[in-house]
Amino acid sequence: MKTTSRKVYIETLGCQMNKSDTERILGILSHFDYAKGTEDEADFLIINTCSIRKLSEDKAYSKLGVWGKMKQRKPDIKIAICGCVAQQEKESLLKKFPYLDLVFGTHNIYELPELIEELNRKNPDGTSNRICAIRDKAVAEKEFNIIRSKGINAWLPIMEGCNNFCTYCIVPYTRGRERSRNVETIIAEAKKIIKDGFKEITLLGQNVDSYGKDFPEDENGNKPTFANLLAELDKLEGGFRIRFTTSYPTDITDDVIETVKNANKICECFHIPMQSGNDRVLKAMNRRYNRAQYSEIVNKIRTKIKDVTITSDFIAGFPSETEEEFLDTISAINEFRLDYSNTAAYSPRPNTPAGRMTDKFIPSDIKKERLARLNDTVKKASLASNTKDIGKIYEVLVEKINENDEKNGYERIAEGRSRNNKVVHFKSNTAQIGDFINVEIKEALVWCLKGEELNMKDTVAATLEASEEAR
Ligand code: SAH
Ligand code: SF4
Ligand code: F3S
């Protein structure tokens, strides 16, 4: 057994794309004798950062501060920063944090082998190199291991970057323009994921509906589309589910809706950030749709796909947003029966158009107050959505078993998600992680559902009943 291996610890902030990048970075490092370790035992500490809001950026800096102190005790450890803050702040980070050894970006994780070598090479005078490697163009991906986090779900990026330039958003600057991965690469990765025993694949992209638009046309003038890709993945053998995120409202095609409707493995769930319910604000955000168009797409999806869940993102206090305009956001959540929404107070980001609208900034106490009302609306909407599920039978993919030794006796509770992404808890003595189990929903709470496991007999009866109903 190898005992010489060095240990790396990666702290990951931000979205699923960052989580996926971390799995790839760990995989690359595993080829260079770095095993995953804890923060305390690591020889190499990496922070994979997010800069979507000031708060996420600050989190990265405070962690670097902690690691800087650690380095005073353990001078041989190496500290690196990567991800969106690194891509945005570049070499200024080396100046700001004198104990930082390496800065690399979102475009060049496949350059890590060379960077590590340079980092670990001592100069003739005994000093080590401090490196900043940020690229504006993506370094081509190479075949390396991927060390995925354990669980039932595997992230599978299908494209990276964004061409939308919403005025508040830093992502186009930190992740670059849209770049789709090849269909063959994605299919091969999906097959490996299934072979490795994962039960769910989540396809990732800032705007999945743009998949393939950056490819050249083939000899018949065609390009791969997101709908084609979904259909291809749905054909793969095995008992697993497919999810995808994020959809841009007006880019969702009828083909995608039809494909989701007809597929077996693709879950009935769309994440469609609306950002604001007011047309003037949407325009100022450079979102390419209005409230009526958003309504149209939501209605179309709901009409075509039974039990579909539609979730969204909203920003409170975008520069110049009035109280009346904000109320349009509250009413949108209710009118479109959005099942769940992520919310945030507007945070000015460097180099973005909205970040320069300083004379129109909303005072932070007003932003906070609007955010609180927004959260309250989301909470009520979530409960209303969950209440509608009572009496339904959902197939739950078990993610977790909670063994509760409660005052009122031992309880073994299985926790998982329905196809439409609702969290469901149910008592079970036999359910195992990774099982698909039919559960009848009995109770609705704000953020989850409670139900009863159906045995085989019940399931067959329920299925018969459902198919009779459909006839
Ligand atoms: N690609 C996705 C979302 C990416 S960022 C989309 O097109 O919607 C995730 C969410 O962060 C966004 O939907 C937005 O609601 C929020 N966000 C982005 N920039 C922000 C900012 N400057 N302040 C507050 N929230 C922001
Ligand atoms: Fe940001 Fe807009 Fe692109 Fe989403 S679509 S990543 S919000 S610029
Ligand atoms: Fe954050 Fe970058 Fe993702 S800014 S949300 S980690 S793309």
Side-chain angles (χ1 to χ4, degrees), residues 365-376:
D365 53 337
I366 298 184
K367 280 197 290 190
K368 272 194 201 138
E369 192 275 332
R370 285 184 192 167
L371 180 63
R373 271 187 285 158
L374 195 53
N375 287 338
D376 193 47

Side-chain angles (χ1 to χ4, degrees), residues 15 51-54 161-162 164 166-171 205-207 245-249 271-275 287 289 312-316 318 342-349 352 354:
C15 65
S51 60
I52 201 80
R53 285 178 282 276
K54 171 115 191 346
C162 184
N164 284 325
C166 305
T167 54
Y168 51 81
C169 186
I170 198 147
V171 171
Q206 293 302 336
N207 179 7
T245 192
T246 300
S247 306
Y248 190 94
H271 183 59
I272 322 174
M274 187 185 191
Q275 314 296 0
R287 299 288 286 183
Y289 54 87
S312 187
D313 293 350
F314 287 98
I315 297 175
F318 180 81
N342 299 310
T343 60
Y346 170 73
S347 170
R349 304 317 292 130
T352 58

Side-chain angles (χ1 to χ4, degrees), residues 26-251:
L26 282 170
I28 296 171
L29 291 175
S30 73
H31 292 263
F32 297 88
D33 207 19
Y34 278 101
K36 208 167 149 180
T38 65
E39 194 170 355
D40 289 330
E41 67 185 4
D43 312 282
F44 190 15
L45 295 162
I46 307 178
I47 184 139
N48 189 0
T49 59
C50 169
S51 60
I52 201 80
R53 285 178 282 276
K54 171 115 191 346
L55 200 70
S56 22
E57 195 177 329
D58 290 345
K59 264 195 212 160
Y61 299 147
S62 84
K63 193 75 207 188
L64 280 181
V66 172
W67 289 352
K69 289 216 178 75
M70 216 159 141
K71 200 168 175 170
Q72 289 173 356
R73 284 184 284 117
K74 299 195 273 182
D76 288 337
I77 56 171
K78 299 281 184 202
I79 303 177
I81 184 168
C82 64
C84 290
V85 175
Q87 188 74 30
Q88 170 200 317
E89 296 298 317
K90 308 182 174 65
E91 45 285 291
S92 72
L93 293 166
L94 287 183
K95 287 197 202 89
K96 207 161 153 190
F97 302 97
Y99 42 81
L100 193 57
D101 299 288
L102 172 65
V103 180
F104 63 101
T106 53
H107 286 51
N108 61 333
I109 62 173
Y110 291 96
E111 221 173 30
L112 259 180
E114 295 87 54
L115 295 174
I116 301 288
E117 198 178 304
E118 201 181 330
L119 194 68
N120 288 329
R121 199 186 311 126
K122 285 254 191 276
N123 294 320
D125 63 357
T127 57
S128 305
N129 294 315
R130 298 181 71 220
I131 307 159
C132 174
I134 300 291
R135 311 281 171 239
D136 294 330
K137 264 196 137 21
V139 169
E141 63 176 278
K142 296 183 196 128
E143 270 221 38
F144 282 113
N145 287 341
I146 300 170
I147 299 189
R148 296 186 186 277
S149 37
K150 293 204 170 64
I152 51 118
N153 177 69
W155 309 116
L156 175 41
I158 59 165
M159 60 182 304
E160 221 197 313
C162 184
N163 294 354
N164 284 325
F165 291 93
C166 305
T167 54
Y168 51 81
C169 186
I170 198 147
V171 171
Y173 309 93
T174 62
R175 291 271 168 185
R177 293 303 75 69
E178 285 168 1
R179 305 171 304 277
S180 305
R181 299 179 74 209
N182 288 327
V183 177
E184 302 75 39
T185 312
I186 296 169
I187 302 274
E189 223 172 86
K191 284 185 180 161
K192 171 93 172 52
I193 288 171
I194 302 157
K195 195 165 145 260
D196 288 346
F198 290 94
K199 301 289 174 165
E200 186 176 270
I201 299 178
T202 305
L203 308 176
L204 300 179
Q206 293 302 336
N207 179 7
V208 287
D209 302 278
S210 288
Y211 178 78
K213 288 183 186 164
D214 54 321
F215 286 147
E217 288 178 352
D218 66 13
E219 58 275 19
N220 306 317
N222 297 324
K223 291 180 184 199
T225 64
F226 182 51
N228 302 149
L229 180 69
L230 280 176
E232 285 302 311
L233 289 165
D234 190 59
K235 281 190 221 148
L236 297 180
E237 302 253 325
F240 67 97
R241 289 176 172 179
I242 302 169
R243 299 190 185 280
F244 57 89
T245 192
T246 300
S247 306
Y248 190 94
T250 36
D251 289 346

Side-chain angles (χ1 to χ4, degrees), residues 356-410:
R356 288 190 282 272
M357 301 176 186
T358 46
D359 55 327
K360 300 196 176 84
F361 281 179
I362 306 293
S364 76
D365 53 337
I366 298 184
K367 280 197 290 190
K368 272 194 201 138
E369 192 275 332
R370 285 184 192 167
L371 180 63
R373 271 187 285 158
L374 195 53
N375 287 338
D376 193 47
T377 310
V378 170
K379 211 167 148 181
K380 287 185 181 130
S382 178
L383 182 61
S385 158
N386 287 346
T387 304
K388 287 200 308 266
D389 294 328
I390 294 173
K392 285 183 184 161
I393 292 164
Y394 279 158
E395 181 200 69
V396 176
L397 167 54
V398 179
E399 289 173 15
K400 219 162 123 185
I401 304 289
N402 302 311
E403 315 247 3
N404 293 338
D405 203 355
E406 297 208 327
K407 288 162 237 135
N408 44 353
Y410 171 79

Side-chain angles (χ1 to χ4, degrees), residues 167 276-287 289-291 318-326 328 357 360 362 370:
T167 54
S276 165
N278 177 270
D279 286 352
R280 191 201 65 83
V281 175
L282 285 171
K283 212 167 186 159
M285 287 176 160
N286 192 31
R287 299 288 286 183
Y289 54 87
N290 57 29
R291 184 175 173 123
F318 180 81
S320 80
E321 181 191 66
T322 64
E323 170 65 17
E324 289 68 38
E325 289 168 340
F326 169 71
D328 285 342
M357 301 176 186
K360 300 196 176 84
I362 306 293
R370 285 184 192 167

